[in-house]
Amino acid sequence: MQDIIQQLYILPILLFSVVIHEISHGWMALRLGDTTARDMGRLTLNPIPHIDPVGSILIPLFSLFMAGRIFIAWAKPVPVNPMNFSNYRRDDILVSIVGPISNLVLAFICTIIFIILAHINTVVDTFQNQFASEGIDFLLRMFYGGIVLNIVLALFNLIPIPPLDGSHVLASILPEEMSEPYQRMGFYGIFIILLLMRWEPFAALFSTLIATVMFPFTLLIHILV
């Protein structure tokens, strides 16, 4: 139980990250002429309209208690009406890809904050203030976790299996006669994803991709801290 409590530092950054991911979809859709997300109040940092009971609460808590850490989470998808797009295929790709990009931007922001906190921690250590040191340590763990978490979210959402963002990109590239049956995979895609994540070769490949994308962030930390 103590180990689980120690993992709770990731929850604030997790919630913020999945909310930003969804807002970015709605923001891009708005830029491309679709006002649906804005009209339904989804372009807000208030997490309540974005919370998905399963993806934002049950799945993170289940993985936390069963495995001791949070593997993945998601927010309620923002509503998008592609009929408002001037170029459906191009605009659907742009709306889809901006979500993972937002997570990579957040990973970079977390890296910069981590570096700043690391330097502050050096100063705090000279005063031997235990309360301040514990507070800084909590923030360091939270923002470093935020780097890893957002990279995982970005790569996970790029998996080209419905309903993930990568599937929208692939569906927009495929010929129409292949795109429609591919998108009809729908809800069953979740089960395919879960099976893939438990398949050792795919899990190993996914871990390698995470480490590869993580490298420039950790290198920046190594250089500047």
Side-chain angles (χ1 to χ4, degrees):
M1 181 60 71
Q2 184 65 30
D3 291 338
I4 293 174
I5 292 173
Q6 289 177 353
Q7 291 292 323
L8 294 179
Y9 69 87
I10 200 65
L11 291 180
I13 205 91
L14 170 67
L15 183 59
F16 182 76
S17 298
V18 295
V19 166
I20 290 296
H21 180 102
E22 292 303 328
I23 288 176
S24 68
H25 287 312
W27 173 82
M28 180 57 75
L30 181 63
R31 298 268 298 180
L32 296 171
D34 177 32
T35 64
T36 307
R38 184 195 66 187
D39 296 342
M40 296 186 69
R42 293 297 303 278
L43 299 186
T44 173
L45 287 173
N46 178 3
I48 295 176
H50 301 285
I51 289 176
D52 180 285
V54 175
S56 307
I57 300 173
L58 292 181
I59 293 296
L61 287 177
F62 179 79
S63 62
L64 184 62
F65 280 96
M66 294 300 294
R69 60 193 179 99
I70 296 172
F71 291 102
I72 200 66
W74 62 86
K76 189 186 301 180
V78 295
V80 174
N81 185 356
M83 297 299 292
N84 292 321
F85 295 154
S86 60
N87 184 325
Y88 171 78
R89 286 179 174 260
R90 179 203 66 191
D91 294 351
D92 192 42
I93 289 174
L94 292 174
V95 170
S96 301
I97 204 70
V98 76
I101 289 173
S102 73
N103 289 123
L104 293 177
V105 171
L106 285 176
F108 178 73
I109 293 172
C110 286
T111 302
I112 298 302
I113 295 174
F114 178 88
I115 292 168
I116 293 171
L117 287 170
H119 286 288
I120 293 174
N121 191 45
T122 303
V123 176
V124 168
D125 283 345
T126 62
F127 293 99
Q128 297 183 339
N129 186 316
Q130 184 178 354
F131 179 77
S133 294
E134 289 179 355
I136 295 292
D137 181 64
F138 176 87
L139 292 174
L140 283 169
R141 286 187 291 121
M142 184 175 75
F143 283 103
Y144 189 84
I147 302 169
V148 179
L149 173 69
N150 276 284
I151 289 173
V152 171
L153 286 173
L155 294 176
F156 179 78
N157 277 284
L158 285 173
I159 296 174
I161 298 176
L164 299 178
D165 296 331
S167 70
H168 289 271
V169 176
L170 182 56
S172 296
I173 296 173
L174 289 172
E176 189 169 338
E177 63 272 14
M178 297 176 64
S179 177
E180 289 185 6
Y182 168 69
Q183 292 181 82
R184 283 199 295 268
M185 187 188 303
F187 181 75
Y188 296 104
I190 292 293
F191 296 102
I192 296 173
I193 293 164
L194 292 175
L195 288 173
L196 273 177
M197 298 303 287
R198 293 181 63 85
W199 185 40
E200 190 172 334
F202 182 84
L205 173 62
F206 193 68
S207 296
T208 301
L209 287 173
I210 292 171
T212 302
V213 177
M214 184 80 182
F215 177 74
F217 296 92
T218 53
L219 179 62
L220 187 62
I221 291 172
H222 179 74
I223 293 171
L224 297 179
V225 173

